[in-house]
Amino acid sequence: GLALADSPLSPVTDPQDETYRLVVELTARNAKYTTLANRAVTTAEVTKLSPYKERNVRKHLSHLLSHGLLKKKGARQGWLCNHTE
């Protein structure tokens, strides 16, 4: 069969899920003027709405990236939901 990952992925935790939901909300916020969920958001923008410190938010975002739920828009341009294409 086809292997989906080289090793089992760790589950997404509740704090990581909360961070993911914030990214989804923020990327869709300007949908009137840009394509829905196509506006990259920065770690700082997510942290402003999150109960977690920026360091933890960065860890959450990196974990979500490794799971394929998010993608990076350039090295420092922010995060996008991976379901947008």
Side-chain angles (χ1 to χ4, degrees), residues 22-40:
L22 288 174
V23 173
V24 170
E25 177 186 328
L26 286 167
T27 57
R29 203 169 261 185
N30 287 341
K32 181 176 178 183
Y33 303 106
T34 60
T35 305
L36 181 63
N38 196 28
R39 186 182 76 83

Side-chain angles (χ1 to χ4, degrees), residues 3-83:
L4 298 178
D6 293 337
S7 60
L9 295 174
S10 57
V12 173
T13 64
D14 287 341
Q16 292 164 349
D17 182 55
E18 290 174 36
T19 300
Y20 179 71
R21 291 172 188 266
L22 288 174
V23 173
V24 170
E25 177 186 328
L26 286 167
T27 57
R29 203 169 261 185
N30 287 341
K32 181 176 178 183
Y33 303 106
T34 60
T35 305
L36 181 63
N38 196 28
R39 186 182 76 83
V41 295
T42 65
T43 303
E45 289 176 302
V46 178
T47 302
K48 283 181 187 176
L49 297 179
S50 175
Y52 306 104
K53 293 182 179 181
E54 186 170 354
R55 180 178 182 177
N56 290 329
V57 170
R58 265 195 315 273
K59 287 181 182 180
H60 297 167
L61 294 169
S62 294
H63 188 83
L64 295 165
L65 176 70
S66 72
H67 277 64
L69 296 169
L70 297 179
K71 57 186 174 182
K72 291 285 287 173
K73 183 176 181 181
R76 295 191 174 263
Q77 294 181 15
W79 304 89
L80 290 166
C81 296
N82 202 19
H83 66 275

